[in-house]
Tab-separated table of all heavy atoms in Angstrom:
chain	number	residue	atom	x	y	z
T	480	GLN	N	6.295	29.909	20.455
T	480	GLN	CA	7.685	29.953	20.943
T	480	GLN	C	7.789	29.403	22.364
T	480	GLN	O	8.709	28.668	22.690
T	480	GLN	CB	8.221	31.396	20.913
T	480	GLN	CG	8.491	31.925	19.508
T	480	GLN	CD	9.336	30.984	18.648
T	480	GLN	OE1	10.238	30.314	19.144
T	480	GLN	NE2	9.015	30.903	17.367
T	481	GLN	N	6.838	29.793	23.192
T	481	GLN	CA	6.901	29.351	24.586
T	481	GLN	C	6.604	27.858	24.712
T	481	GLN	O	7.162	27.184	25.576
T	481	GLN	CB	5.928	30.177	25.436
T	481	GLN	CG	6.297	31.649	25.392
T	481	GLN	CD	5.908	32.392	26.653
T	481	GLN	OE1	5.906	31.832	27.749
T	481	GLN	NE2	5.589	33.668	26.492
T	482	VAL	N	5.749	27.369	23.844
T	482	VAL	CA	5.476	25.928	23.856
T	482	VAL	C	6.734	25.176	23.413
T	482	VAL	O	7.118	24.172	24.023
T	482	VAL	CB	4.271	25.591	22.949
T	482	VAL	CG1	4.130	24.082	22.757
T	482	VAL	CG2	2.983	26.159	23.559
T	483	LYS	N	7.387	25.706	22.384
T	483	LYS	CA	8.635	25.076	21.919
T	483	LYS	C	9.675	25.043	23.037
T	483	LYS	O	10.362	24.027	23.232
T	483	LYS	CB	9.223	25.858	20.749
T	483	LYS	CG	8.591	25.550	19.418
T	483	LYS	CD	9.397	26.264	18.332
T	483	LYS	CE	8.635	26.306	17.041
T	483	LYS	NZ	9.312	27.126	16.040
T	484	ALA	N	9.778	26.154	23.750
T	484	ALA	CA	10.775	26.225	24.831
T	484	ALA	C	10.472	25.166	25.891
T	484	ALA	O	11.376	24.490	26.373
T	484	ALA	CB	10.781	27.625	25.440
T	485	PHE	N	9.193	25.009	26.214
T	485	PHE	CA	8.812	24.011	27.223
T	485	PHE	C	9.184	22.599	26.751
T	485	PHE	O	9.774	21.809	27.484
T	485	PHE	CB	7.309	24.098	27.528
T	485	PHE	CG	6.888	23.175	28.640
T	485	PHE	CD1	6.837	23.619	29.957
T	485	PHE	CD2	6.553	21.848	28.373
T	485	PHE	CE1	6.466	22.764	30.991
T	485	PHE	CE2	6.187	20.988	29.396
T	485	PHE	CZ	6.144	21.442	30.708
T	486	VAL	N	8.851	22.327	25.500
T	486	VAL	CA	9.138	20.989	24.954
T	486	VAL	C	10.642	20.736	24.950
T	486	VAL	O	11.102	19.678	25.365
T	486	VAL	CB	8.557	20.857	23.528
T	486	VAL	CG1	9.026	19.560	22.871
T	486	VAL	CG2	7.033	20.894	23.560
T	487	ALA	N	11.396	21.759	24.523
T	487	ALA	CA	12.854	21.596	24.444
T	487	ALA	C	13.423	21.264	25.823
T	487	ALA	O	14.265	20.369	25.968
T	487	ALA	CB	13.497	22.861	23.874
T	488	THR	N	12.972	21.984	26.841
T	488	THR	CA	13.470	21.744	28.190
T	488	THR	C	13.154	20.343	28.675
T	488	THR	O	13.961	19.711	29.348
T	488	THR	CB	12.821	22.733	29.179
T	488	THR	OG1	12.875	24.035	28.615
T	488	THR	CG2	13.535	22.732	30.522
T	489	HIS	N	11.971	19.866	28.326
T	489	HIS	CA	11.522	18.586	28.895
T	489	HIS	C	11.837	17.381	28.010
T	489	HIS	O	11.393	16.277	28.310
T	489	HIS	CB	10.036	18.650	29.225
T	489	HIS	CG	9.764	19.598	30.358
T	489	HIS	ND1	9.602	20.971	30.163
T	489	HIS	CD2	9.688	19.405	31.693
T	489	HIS	CE1	9.411	21.550	31.330
T	489	HIS	NE2	9.456	20.630	32.267
T	490	THR	N	12.539	17.613	26.925
T	490	THR	CA	12.970	16.460	26.114
T	490	THR	C	14.495	16.382	26.117
T	490	THR	O	15.093	15.678	25.319
T	490	THR	CB	12.487	16.578	24.650
T	490	THR	OG1	12.940	17.820	24.115
T	490	THR	CG2	11.001	16.499	24.561
T	491	ALA	N	15.107	17.115	27.032
T	491	ALA	CA	16.570	17.182	27.065
T	491	ALA	C	17.209	15.811	27.306
T	491	ALA	O	18.230	15.488	26.741
T	491	ALA	CB	17.030	18.177	28.117
T	492	ASP	N	16.581	14.987	28.137
T	492	ASP	CA	17.149	13.660	28.420
T	492	ASP	C	16.542	12.612	27.497
T	492	ASP	O	15.490	12.824	26.933
T	492	ASP	CB	16.835	13.237	29.863
T	492	ASP	CG	17.225	14.312	30.847
T	492	ASP	OD1	18.345	14.845	30.694
T	492	ASP	OD2	16.403	14.623	31.715
T	493	ALA	N	17.217	11.492	27.394
T	493	ALA	CA	16.630	10.372	26.645
T	493	ALA	C	15.397	9.881	27.398
T	493	ALA	O	15.322	9.974	28.610
T	493	ALA	CB	17.646	9.254	26.522
Side-chain angles (χ1 to χ4, degrees):
Q480 288 310 324
Q481 299 209 32
V482 170
K483 279 187 195 173
F485 185 93
V486 171
T488 314
H489 292 85
T490 55
D492 309 315

